[in-house]
Amino acid sequence: MKTEKTTWTVPAVILKSIAVVAVVLFLVIGGRTAYQFTYQVFANQALSDPPGKEVAITVQEGESVAEVAEVLEQMGVIRDALVFRVQERFSEYRGVIRTGTYHLNSAQTPDEIIQVLTGTPSVEEE
């Protein structure tokens, strides 16, 4: 009788151990991913060093921030469209991107790019 009980507890211990390892891995990987995403959002770093890559982008009437961010990522001005969307949402220029043609550079920070897209002069220009 005692042998049967031991036989059933060994698989249970193995399954519980696997579950604990899976949860720990999930927490470590999830935490690391969350940290990296948050760092990218708040670090406000340019994609490249000066002189960077110069591009022209045209924002059409009715184009969303998500669509603009995708174009900027495809053109190599920003690193990640989702990060840019979150940065725009947290900025003081939320929802103010204007239509027009803009000249941007991959050496500009996301804040500078958002300022250009909103037509807001930077501190140096004022």
Side-chain angles (χ1 to χ4, degrees):
M1 186 91 149
K2 194 170 187 171
T3 311
E4 286 181 27
K5 199 172 194 179
T6 306
T7 307
W8 286 107
T9 48
V10 170
V13 169
I14 291 172
L15 286 176
K16 287 180 184 178
S17 299
I18 290 171
V20 167
V21 168
V23 167
V24 168
L25 280 174
F26 176 76
L27 290 174
V28 168
I29 292 170
R32 184 173 162 210
T33 303
Y35 172 79
Q36 289 172 342
F37 181 79
T38 306
Y39 179 80
Q40 287 179 0
V41 167
F42 293 106
N44 197 35
Q45 294 177 328
L47 179 65
S48 62
D49 294 329
K53 175 184 173 185
E54 190 82 28
V55 298
I57 178 176
T58 301
V59 177
Q60 302 292 331
E61 184 72 33
E63 211 168 6
S64 69
V65 174
E67 293 168 326
V68 172
E70 287 295 328
V71 171
L72 291 173
E73 182 180 1
Q74 290 169 0
M75 295 180 97
V77 179
I78 60 172
R79 183 172 286 114
D80 187 330
L82 178 60
V83 170
F84 184 81
R85 288 171 47 199
V86 172
Q87 289 168 323
E88 187 272 341
R89 181 158 293 187
F90 285 141
S91 77
E92 59 188 276
Y93 311 108
R94 179 180 182 192
V96 191
I97 290 180
R98 298 184 178 151
T99 59
T101 300
Y102 301 96
H103 296 281
L104 302 171
N105 192 304
S106 62
Q108 290 175 302
T109 66
D111 281 349
E112 292 169 339
I113 292 171
I114 292 168
Q115 283 181 337
V116 170
L117 294 174
T118 59
T120 306
S122 65
V123 176
E124 296 92 29
E125 295 175 8
E126 293 178 341

